[in-house]
Amino acid sequence: MLQNLHLKNLALIDETEVEFNDGLNILSGETGAGKSIIIGSINLALGEKVSKELLRDNGETALVELVFFVENPAVLDEIRAMDIEVEDETVILSRKITSGRAVARINGEAVSVSKMKAVASLLIDIHGQHEHQSLLSPKKHLELLDEFAKESLGNKKEKLRACFQEYRKLHEEWENSRMDTGERAKELSFLEYEVKEIGEAQLTPGEDEELEKRFRRFLNGKKIMDAVEIADAAICGEGESASGLVGRALRELTAVASADERVEEMQKQLMDIDALLGDFVHELGAYRASEEFDDETYYETEKRLDTINHLKSKYGNTISEILDACEEKTKRIAVLNDYDEYLNKLSANLKEKEKQLEKLCAEVSDIRKKESRKLADAVAAALADLNFLDVSFSMDFRQTDFTANGTDEMEFLISTNPGEPLKPLAKIASGGELSRIALAVKTVMAADSIGTLIFDEIDSGISGRTAQMVSEKMNFLAKDHQIISITHLPQIAAMADAHFLIEKSVEKQSTVSRIHRLDEEESVRELARMLGGVEITDTVLMSAREMKTMAHMKK
């Protein structure tokens, strides 16, 4: 269930926090008080696009945060399977908007919007006017039927989807298999050249990695030996080497050192330098003798790597991929060498897969048609509970070509008046009727794992006895689900387990919306406002109190 809603700097709301109950939570308020902001903000936290209208002009950072308590172990397992850490059965969804950029987080960890939506779909279902309109789409009808029939369908849809993918692959292969003798000869010649090129290289898996390591060692070794050779030539080489120049300078100073104490001191320093230089020359010679560089092996390694990299540029990023490509090309050569046999086998496989697909499609279709009668009866009964006095509800099936979802197209048909023929939902249902049909379908489908259902003005276009029956249906749903409903009807508001008022006021020359929970007496006064408008008389208050009492009796 949704435990807590925290909003900051969104539209007319500077900052507010709401603690929801289980059961039926009702949100009411004057038109324009900000009821739509609540639904828009929740949608924002669930991954919807950021609307500029939702952001306060003076708010630097906007925030919406939903805190869920999840008791269903299956739902927790699905969330953890998405690599989301869950502690104490609590899941926190948040979106923080700064300078138009939104950051989504689940339990404090930044996630993609797609992951946010995937997790949200397990926790909450928002049912509003947009969702009413989705009932006009036949595609949505088939989705609802499959959801209703999921236990009977078992894994047949998954099998059907896999079979269709295999069938489509074979069908594409068959469509692409038409080639004349000249085309086959050209392809065969090219494939044989490629297989020969790969075969002559005599590749070994992992060989490239070892060669690259060796080449790096060689490359560094060559650089080092080149530097040592240059240093040796500079110090010990013929001509004006460092060793020769130091030796000559030492001889010149030695010849005159006895004549001047300062020259004698410099001559001693130069003797030390000459000794150090001698030691260095010895070390350099020893290093050259101990380290060897094999030019021939270096160039062989480089050439082998060039060969492998050339093959990688044509056939794959690794030796394993190159060898796999060679194997596939060898198989294709065998096919081209015996093309008639290949075509016969492909045709037989395609026919066999088509038979399997037909069988699975028929099985899925039979289950759907059987379950459709149960769903139609259940929806019709739920519609009768919502004051459709003489309603007929059915489903029309049509057969299509093979798809991953089978060969069924299906559409809801309804008749809301005696003697009228069944017609597609889109052609007969008014706005008010569509909202009740949506509630009826949701009631029938309510045995799902989603704990929180939000109804956004689902009572649009209804009043009186129908509104009372809608409230009772929502109360029924609230026994197994947390329901959050925005309403303008007192019959529905009276049924609340928790009643919240949304109202706006002017504070510091700025319009803000506030939301707070009403106690029993405050709820009665809000019902009276909804019943009587501007002037709340004692009679209206009495009617509101009576409405509240009757609602308690039905719980």
Side-chain angles (χ1 to χ4, degrees), residues 23-305:
L24 180 58
N25 296 262
I26 293 295
L27 283 69
S28 65
E30 299 269 7
T31 300
K35 297 189 294 295
S36 61
I37 299 171
I38 303 298
I39 298 299
S41 300
I42 292 174
N43 271 319
L44 184 63
L46 302 184
E48 295 299 321
K49 290 183 178 179
V50 178
S51 171
K52 291 181 179 179
E53 290 77 14
L54 268 179
L55 305 180
R56 280 179 72 86
D57 293 336
N58 62 343
E60 295 182 2
T61 299
L63 173 71
V64 54
E65 182 178 80
L66 307 180
V67 180
F68 291 89
F69 178 68
V70 186
E71 293 182 285
N72 190 324
V75 172
L76 288 170
D77 288 343
E78 287 191 63
I79 293 173
R80 291 188 176 108
M82 298 182 203
D83 295 325
I84 302 295
E85 292 294 329
V86 180
E87 293 183 6
D88 300 325
E89 301 175 324
T90 299
V91 178
I92 303 173
L93 308 183
S94 69
R95 291 284 291 285
K96 187 175 183 179
I97 304 98
T98 304
S99 301
R101 182 174 177 270
V103 177
R105 295 183 184 276
I106 302 178
N107 288 353
E109 181 180 347
V111 297
S112 65
V113 172
S114 60
K115 180 175 282 192
M116 177 75 87
K117 288 183 176 180
V119 172
S121 69
L122 301 172
L123 302 173
I124 191 168
D125 182 13
I126 296 182
H127 209 78
Q129 292 181 10
H130 175 71
E131 286 73 16
H132 297 171
Q133 296 303 312
S134 72
L135 276 180
L136 301 179
S137 168
K139 182 180 178 182
K140 182 68 174 178
H141 301 174
L142 191 60
E143 290 176 7
L144 288 168
L145 174 58
D146 284 353
E147 177 64 22
F148 180 80
K150 61 184 178 182
E151 290 187 9
S152 297
L153 286 169
N155 65 348
K156 287 188 183 295
K157 283 188 67 176
E158 287 73 20
K159 287 183 178 179
L160 188 154
R161 190 175 294 108
C163 185
F164 174 76
Q165 298 299 335
E166 293 168 3
Y167 167 79
R168 187 168 63 176
K169 184 178 179 182
L170 286 170
H171 194 271
E172 288 175 356
E173 187 177 350
W174 173 257
E175 290 295 320
N176 295 330
S177 66
R178 317 290 175 80
M179 60 170 59
D180 58 30
T181 304
E183 289 174 325
R184 288 206 306 273
K186 184 178 179 180
E187 184 182 353
L188 185 61
S189 175
F190 187 64
L191 287 169
E192 286 174 340
Y193 164 77
E194 290 183 317
V195 169
K196 182 181 178 184
E197 182 181 37
I198 295 172
E200 287 178 345
Q202 297 182 337
L203 300 174
T204 303
E207 175 188 7
D208 52 340
E209 296 175 2
E210 288 299 321
L211 286 169
E212 285 168 2
K213 290 179 184 177
R214 188 190 308 170
F215 183 72
R216 283 194 293 271
R217 288 197 301 270
F218 272 129
L219 196 61
N220 291 333
K222 188 175 189 311
K223 289 179 181 178
I224 292 170
M225 292 309 295
D226 286 345
V228 168
E229 293 289 345
I230 292 170
D232 182 69
I235 293 172
C236 307
E238 297 179 0
E240 291 190 346
S241 65
S243 181
L245 291 172
V246 169
R248 188 170 69 182
L250 182 59
R251 288 193 296 274
E252 293 296 328
L253 290 178
T254 300
V256 296
S258 58
D260 189 306
E261 289 183 358
R262 292 179 63 194
V263 172
E264 184 179 11
E265 186 62 32
M266 288 188 290
Q267 182 254 359
K268 290 179 180 178
Q269 292 176 8
L270 193 57
M271 287 180 66
D272 292 338
I273 291 172
D274 185 55
L276 286 171
L277 195 57
D279 291 341
F280 178 77
V281 169
H282 177 74
E283 287 292 327
L284 198 62
Y287 184 85
R288 288 181 63 195
S290 64
E291 298 292 327
E292 295 183 359
F293 178 79
D294 187 344
D295 280 326
E296 184 177 351
T297 304
Y298 169 75
Y299 289 117
E300 284 179 359
T301 301
E302 186 178 35
K303 183 179 179 181
R304 181 62 173 167
L305 275 175

Side-chain angles (χ1 to χ4, degrees), residues 507-520:
E507 299 178 10
K508 298 179 181 178
Q509 297 183 330
S510 178
T511 303
V512 296
S513 286
R514 301 289 184 200
I515 179 171
H516 65 277
R517 183 169 177 173
L518 304 178
D519 60 27
E520 186 74 10

